[in-house]
Amino acid sequence: MTAPYRTAPAPSAELPAGIPFIIGNELAERFSYYGMRAILVVFMTQYLMDAGGNLAPMTAGEAKGYFHLFVSITYFTPFLGALLADGLWGKYRTIILLSIVYSLGHFCLALDDTRTGLLMGQSLIALGAGGIKPCVSAHLGDQFGASNQHWLNKVFSWFYLAINLGAFVSMLLVPWLLETQGASVAFAIPGLLMLLATVLFWSGRYRFIHIPAAGKDFVREVFSGEGLRCLGRLSGIYLFIAMFWALFDQTGSSWVLQAQQMDRLVFGFEVLPSQIQAANPLLIVLLTPLFYRRLYPALGRFLRVSYLNKIAIGLFVTVLSFVLVAGIQMRIDAGFQPHIAWQLLAYLLLTSAEVMVSITCLKFSYTQAPRTMKSFVMSLYMAAVALGNLFTSAVNFFIENPDGSSRLAGASYFWFFAGLMLLTALGFVWHSRHYREKSYLQEEV
């Protein structure tokens, strides 16, 4: 007879037993997602075939539009995952079942290199990856009660480091596999890692705290005065965060296409354009402990280092990163070939912004969500990512001329986004002054 699942944290000052399984699962899952995502634009513009086996690539503008549309859908499907997790199945069961769907999507991409295979694979991945997104981070937070909440900040930092370690390795390896082994192998390896992630998560089932689905209580809390006030407060914040993601996720599209036009010789080796993206997760691993141990304490001497103040600083740093990328593109437009080190400097700025915006918002969202709405609020945060990418996708489809040229060609494209980000950062500073924080953690038994 199997032991019953535990449904609430016990009073303990120790690290919860299920944490290593959640973080290991996240590392393998993020390898699968970012490895696949790293090669999408290159695959669509260089490797895509038609039904007859002939090369039929997309234009650069079309590929950017479809890339951001895919990312957008991947961050809208968390609403479905959250409804299943908080209202029907619970987080654990939702994660297991949608992880299987996720794995099938990878294998569709590996087996069919036409637009049909691309559509099927991306649809299944968007459903699986998006569906589990709000559940995994909320499930992580569910492992903690009042007695061990002092671990929460550190564990969420480990969680984010796992994301970026998986992304770093995959962004180096999978583009190389695409170049040397072809699309089938390059997409199959992420599929195998997603299967590993699923098995690892299943292995920790008796170590986890399984917060039951709230069912009707979830619906009542969402539409209660407190629930609606929470969603209203957070939605205002997330509208500003959406613009950050409209810029940040261009590291997988416009920044890759820019890197193709740059001198990529580093220590005698030519780096592939899509491999440059590995700079982001590597910098996350290096900068996250530096920010928490050095930068934030230093800033604390001059200002209150609250969640919202960290995010505000990050939004302004995002502006600087796109100003630098626009400057690089001006040099390219003038006929020069800048060294890729300049784009790596832009990655340093953008990754610094990510530490201040994304990691902070992940923890902020969990603490601000009522107890039965953890996954749902996480999905609302994910919707900000979706909205940002939907905006970027719409911009790219709108500015493309019938002949494949762009109405925002060259540096003007990056200046456009830098200007929008500056307006967003100024607006966020004004709006955040009126936000009142209220934290919720799971109760112990």
Side-chain angles (χ1 to χ4, degrees):
M1 183 176 177
T2 57
Y5 294 147
R6 292 180 295 157
T7 57
S12 171
E14 301 298 319
L15 182 72
I19 296 301
F21 294 90
I22 299 173
I23 291 179
N25 161 268
E26 188 69 7
L27 190 151
E29 185 270 324
R30 292 288 85 184
F31 178 104
S32 77
Y33 176 75
Y34 281 108
M36 172 276 305
R37 204 181 88 157
I39 61 173
L40 269 182
V41 169
V42 175
F43 172 74
M44 289 188 285
T45 56
Q46 297 181 25
Y47 291 82
L48 197 62
M49 310 292 280
D50 63 18
N54 303 306
L55 196 63
M58 296 181 183
T59 65
E62 190 181 13
K64 284 192 289 183
Y66 278 111
F67 173 87
H68 288 286
L69 184 60
F70 162 69
V71 175
S72 177
I73 294 171
T74 303
Y75 282 91
F76 272 127
T77 52
F79 276 116
L80 174 61
L83 291 172
L84 291 173
D86 285 347
L88 188 62
W89 290 346
K91 300 180 189 71
Y92 170 78
R93 189 179 176 196
T94 301
I95 293 167
I96 286 291
L97 293 177
L98 290 181
S99 291
I100 296 170
V101 173
Y102 191 169
S103 300
L104 291 174
H106 282 296
F107 293 120
C108 282
L109 291 176
L111 295 172
D112 189 342
D113 56 5
T114 68
R115 290 195 180 216
T116 300
L118 183 67
L119 176 62
M120 290 179 60
Q122 288 187 313
S123 298
L124 291 172
I125 290 171
L127 176 60
I132 70 173
K133 272 182 184 298
C135 307
V136 176
S137 53
H139 182 65
L140 177 70
D142 285 348
Q143 308 308 301
F144 296 88
S147 299
N148 57 3
Q149 65 174 303
H150 58 278
W151 283 98
L152 200 58
N153 277 346
K154 184 175 289 187
V155 169
F156 265 106
S157 295
W158 293 346
F159 182 74
Y160 214 80
L161 287 173
I163 291 173
N164 287 281
L165 182 58
F168 172 68
V169 175
S170 67
M171 286 177 174
L172 289 178
L173 178 62
V174 177
W176 176 80
L177 288 172
L178 179 67
E179 181 83 4
T180 60
Q181 305 298 320
S184 294
V185 173
F187 285 124
I189 296 300
L192 293 173
L193 264 292
M194 190 58 227
L195 280 179
L196 174 63
T198 307
V199 171
L200 186 59
F201 190 76
W202 174 81
S203 300
R205 63 197 182 281
Y206 293 116
R207 311 286 183 92
F208 297 146
I209 304 302
H210 296 249
I211 302 297
K216 292 180 180 178
D217 290 338
F218 162 68
V219 177
R220 278 195 292 269
E221 181 147 23
V222 168
F223 290 102
S224 68
E226 181 64 20
L228 291 173
R229 281 192 295 273
C230 168
L231 296 178
R233 288 194 304 267
L234 289 171
S235 295
I237 295 293
Y238 293 160
L239 285 175
F240 291 97
I241 302 301
M243 188 54 66
F244 168 78
W245 292 107
L247 275 69
F248 178 84
D249 280 325
Q250 292 191 49
T251 56
S253 59
S254 61
W255 287 34
V256 172
L257 296 172
Q258 183 185 75
Q260 290 177 347
Q261 306 171 71
M262 300 179 73
D263 175 8
R264 302 187 306 277
L265 203 63
V266 179
F267 300 121
F269 296 94
E270 186 171 35
V271 181
L272 297 172
S274 51
Q275 285 181 316
I276 306 300
Q277 298 171 79
N280 170 252
L282 176 61
L283 286 167
I284 281 285
V285 173
L286 298 174
L287 292 178
T288 300
L290 180 65
F291 275 45
Y292 279 87
R293 294 174 187 172
R294 296 285 186 267
L295 181 62
Y296 293 153
L299 287 175
R301 299 170 190 167
F302 307 101
L303 54 85
R304 180 170 169 260
V305 189
S306 64
Y307 287 127
L308 297 178
N309 283 342
K310 290 178 190 175
I311 293 170
I313 296 169
L315 296 181
F316 282 105
V317 176
T318 305
V319 177
L320 296 178
S321 71
F322 262 69
V323 167
L324 178 54
V325 168
I328 294 169
Q329 192 62 46
M330 289 177 68
R331 295 289 291 169
I332 293 171
D333 295 345
F336 297 96
Q337 191 180 33
H339 194 268
I340 198 64
W342 287 105
Q343 198 184 77
L344 291 174
L345 181 58
Y347 268 103
L348 176 62
L349 290 170
L350 190 61
T351 305
S352 297
E354 183 188 5
V355 174
M356 290 183 275
V357 175
S358 185
I359 296 180
T360 304
C361 221
L362 192 65
K363 291 183 284 189
F364 176 73
S365 298
Y366 183 82
T367 62
Q368 299 299 293
R371 294 182 185 90
T372 61
M373 294 169 55
K374 297 296 187 184
S375 293
F376 189 75
V377 167
M378 286 295 182
S379 73
L380 189 65
Y381 167 59
M382 303 295 175
V385 186
L387 190 61
N389 277 276
L390 189 61
F391 176 79
T392 303
S393 176
V395 167
N396 276 282
F397 282 126
F398 177 77
I399 65 176
E400 184 173 24
N401 294 314
D403 63 358
S405 61
S406 175
R407 296 187 185 96
L408 275 177
S412 60
Y413 176 88
F414 295 109
W415 283 119
F416 169 75
F417 281 100
L420 281 179
M421 192 69 244
L422 178 59
L423 292 175
T424 300
L426 293 171
F428 181 84
V429 170
W430 175 83
H431 179 79
S432 63
R433 292 177 179 176
H434 307 287
Y435 187 91
R436 296 294 176 265
E437 296 184 21
K438 184 174 181 180
S439 297
Y440 306 81
L441 290 173
Q442 298 295 350
E443 295 180 344
E444 298 176 342
V445 295

